[in-house]
Amino acid sequence: MYALIMGSSGDIGAGTAKKLADQGWSLYLHYNKNRQRIDDLYQQLSSKYPHQDFIPVQYDMESDQVDHLLSQIYGLDAIVFAQGNTYYKLLVDMDEQELDSLWNIHIKQPIMILKELQDKLATKHHGRVVFIGSIYGKIGSAMEVVYSTVKGAMSSFADAYAKEVASLGISVNVVAPGAVDTKMNNEFSKEDLEAVKEDIPANRLANADEIAELVDYLVEMKSNYLTGQTIYFAGGWLL
Ligand SMILES: NC(=O)c1ccc[n+]([C@@H]2O[C@H](COP(=O)([O-])OP(=O)(O)OC[C@H]3O[C@@H](n4cnc5c(N)ncnc54)[C@H](OP(=O)(O)O)[C@@H]3O)[C@@H](O)[C@H]2O)c1
């Protein structure tokens, strides 16, 4: 079984890669700029699981050259979209390039990739697609208006696409975290993160390994009957 993990060089992506490798998956480890982290992950996984394949794949999702990614992918049973970025600023301060970046990385490129890889996912009648969305796709956040917009679009896309491909055995779901302790939140001060923590009923941020557990369930599940869902994973926050 082969899975493509977009954003394997990120914290949630790397956590997911470790979990799926432990379950016996061979992995395409996608990265954009952080080659070092993928080299480290590759070394770690290859020595721990010598009978599985681990294949680094580079692709910048701000480019429009999806063929560059596709040429690196052969057999495929699952895709996890764990890449992402955000800009923490007022809508009026965002420029067009930032709008395009959010749209391309979270929505347009995943759709282009799925269009091209759908046949491979359908081959064994057991394809699995999991997006990492966000609670902000449901609730919306000031200072992250466009990020909230694309995360909402991600859930809408999953709703619709799940219906189109269920008969092919493919399931499509979204894991939508609240606040997760990853480098994406590095720009927030310790005090800011402490204040967020106090707002979360579970009284802590999630960690990447917990997200990976849920992703693992969604790619492993035996049937495609659980599909088109957005599962909020937020410790009771903002729900
Ligand atoms: N952390 C949170 O609190 C939180 C909460 C809810 C949802 N999420 C979502 O979870 C997902 C993963 O977030 P994370 O916290 O793990 O973030 P992270 O550690 O910052 O990782 C981000 C990943 O996205 C990749 N990426 C960024 N720009 C890219 C581009 N232009 N082309 C291709 N890949 C690109 C990065 O690749 P390189 O490093 O190789 O460039 C990296 O692998 C995102 O979709 C995020 O929106 C996070």
Side-chain angles (χ1 to χ4, degrees):
M1 300 276 275
Y2 281 79
L4 165 62
I5 303 181
M6 299 301 292
S8 295
S9 49
D11 291 335
I12 293 175
T16 301
K18 288 178 197 162
K19 179 69 192 173
L20 295 198
D22 195 48
Q23 299 294 323
W25 288 79
S26 288
L27 301 172
Y28 297 97
L29 302 168
H30 163 263
Y31 68 102
N32 180 31
K33 293 189 180 140
N34 200 343
R35 174 85 208 194
Q36 185 58 53
R37 187 155 194 203
I38 287 297
D39 285 347
D40 294 347
L41 189 61
Y42 171 83
Q43 291 297 343
Q44 189 185 341
L45 297 180
S46 307
S47 60
K48 202 165 174 193
Y49 310 102
H51 302 299
Q52 294 158 232
D53 294 329
F54 299 102
I55 305 156
V57 293
Q58 195 280 333
Y59 182 53
D60 180 357
M61 296 172 85
E62 291 197 70
S63 79
D64 237 344
Q65 294 166 347
V66 76
D67 286 350
H68 173 68
L69 172 74
L70 301 174
S71 65
Q72 303 174 73
I73 310 296
Y74 302 96
L76 192 68
D77 304 284
I79 307 182
V80 180
F81 289 103
Q83 80 293 343
N85 61 338
T86 191
Y87 299 94
Y88 192 70
K89 52 170 77 171
L90 293 169
L91 181 67
V92 289
D93 293 331
M94 288 195 69
D95 61 34
E96 191 175 349
Q97 184 271 325
E98 291 167 336
L99 300 183
D100 286 343
S101 169
L102 287 165
W103 166 250
N104 282 324
I105 292 173
H106 293 266
I107 301 295
K108 181 181 171 189
Q109 288 285 324
I111 293 175
M112 298 288 291
I113 291 166
L114 284 170
K115 248 167 68 71
E116 299 303 325
L117 293 179
Q118 179 178 305
D119 284 352
K120 286 190 199 293
L121 287 173
T123 309
K124 294 184 197 154
H125 210 76
H126 190 277
R128 296 286 173 262
V129 179
V130 180
F131 286 89
I132 307 299
S134 168
I135 187 78
Y136 288 168
K138 181 184 184 196
I139 301 299
S141 174
M143 302 292 284
E144 289 185 276
V145 171
V146 181
Y147 176 83
S148 302
T149 304
V150 294
K151 289 303 194 185
M154 209 174 247
S155 292
S156 299
F157 173 78
D159 285 352
Y161 187 53
K163 295 187 176 93
E164 196 163 295
V165 293
S167 64
L168 303 175
I170 300 173
S171 73
V172 188
N173 290 293
V174 180
V175 172
V180 191
D181 186 11
T182 75
K183 66 176 154 45
M184 198 167 165
N185 292 318
N186 277 355
E187 70 176 286
F188 296 107
S189 67
K190 229 177 150 192
E191 293 72 34
D192 285 345
L193 288 174
E194 224 19 70
V196 170
K197 206 172 100 176
E198 275 172 26
D199 278 351
I200 300 171
N203 199 33
R204 64 176 178 85
L205 273 62
N207 62 60
D209 292 345
E210 292 175 297
I211 310 291
E213 292 279 341
L214 187 48
V215 174
D216 173 48
Y217 175 74
L218 292 170
V219 298
E220 291 282 352
M221 60 190 180
K222 296 284 178 277
S223 83
N224 67 332
Y225 215 70
L226 174 59
T227 192
Q229 301 303 304
T230 295
I231 300 169
Y232 296 99
F233 192 86
W237 191 45
L238 298 177
L239 289 168

